Amino acid sequence: MDKDEQRKAESSSGTGEPTIGVKLAFCRWGAYNPNPSANLGGCREEHRQLLKFLRTTVCFLMLFGASSLASASAFVQGDEGQDIAMIQSKLSSLGYQVSADGDFGEQTTTAVQAFQRDHGLTDDGVVGAQTFRLLMGRDIPVSRDSSATAVRRLLQTANRYVGVPYVFGGTTPNGFDCSGFTRFVFANNGIQLPRAADEQFNVGQSVSYNRLQPGDLVFFSTYAPGASHSGIYLGNGQFISATSSRGIAIDRMESGYWGARYIGARRVL
């Protein structure tokens, strides 16, 4: 390596001081030795620094990747169904206090945390990939990321607020109006909706009445022409919304009042 090449490489770090990688290359070429009397000890130090940097980078990527996978596929408090019942049954067979009712509640969370502590895991109460594998002896189902799971969680969120009072302009659990409620529920499940009902009526895809599915937004013309009331379809001809008389309530789509005012639905999930 000639002096011009050495100066060019040194200046590439932006400070006049060679980077670790450049220093290591210089050592190999015999062009850099900060301590000539140490039998290329400087090279060995730069080598150690480079390996330390690479190890730190690899560890970070592994931790980031693991946490991403855990958050993408997991059973959490509020989940329901056969998968939950199987988890509960396994926990119970291992001596943890939990009933196999298919409802991931506080009792199940406590049992999962105890299991995680007993096996040296972080006791967050979430049955992620690692916890599921140790508990069940197999990988977590890939279907955890399916749209059915997202819809179930959305409906669980919506039903949690039945009875919350109606407040005009309300957007929090202290009180909701219709579009404030739908926006809040979807936001808590990672989907951002516009604020007003008529604006929400323009998002997603239009859905005909006979093709309604749980999680669809349903719209009605009430106090003003067009979409002036919004709700969330629950299935079986029912929807949930913020009503001015009863707060968050569940009603029949084909009831005398709502059936006459229904104007359409949109699918955003």
Side-chain angles (χ1 to χ4, degrees), residues 91 94-97 106-127 130-132 134-135:
L91 286 167
L94 294 174
Y96 298 97
Q97 298 299 311
E106 292 183 5
Q107 184 188 52
T108 304
T109 298
T110 300
V112 170
Q113 289 174 325
F115 173 84
Q116 290 171 325
R117 287 192 295 269
D118 290 344
H119 290 79
L121 304 175
T122 301
D123 58 343
D124 56 9
V126 174
V127 183
Q130 190 174 12
T131 298
F132 188 91
L134 284 174
L135 177 62

Side-chain angles (χ1 to χ4, degrees), residues 226-265:
S228 52
H229 185 84
S230 59
I232 301 171
Y233 186 64
L234 299 176
N236 298 319
Q238 295 182 315
F239 75 103
I240 185 170
S241 70
T243 66
S244 58
S245 59
R246 294 173 293 138
I248 305 301
I250 297 173
D251 290 290
R252 300 288 306 175
M253 292 284 296
E254 296 180 354
S255 67
Y257 180 82
W258 296 111
R261 291 166 173 78
Y262 175 76
I263 61 171

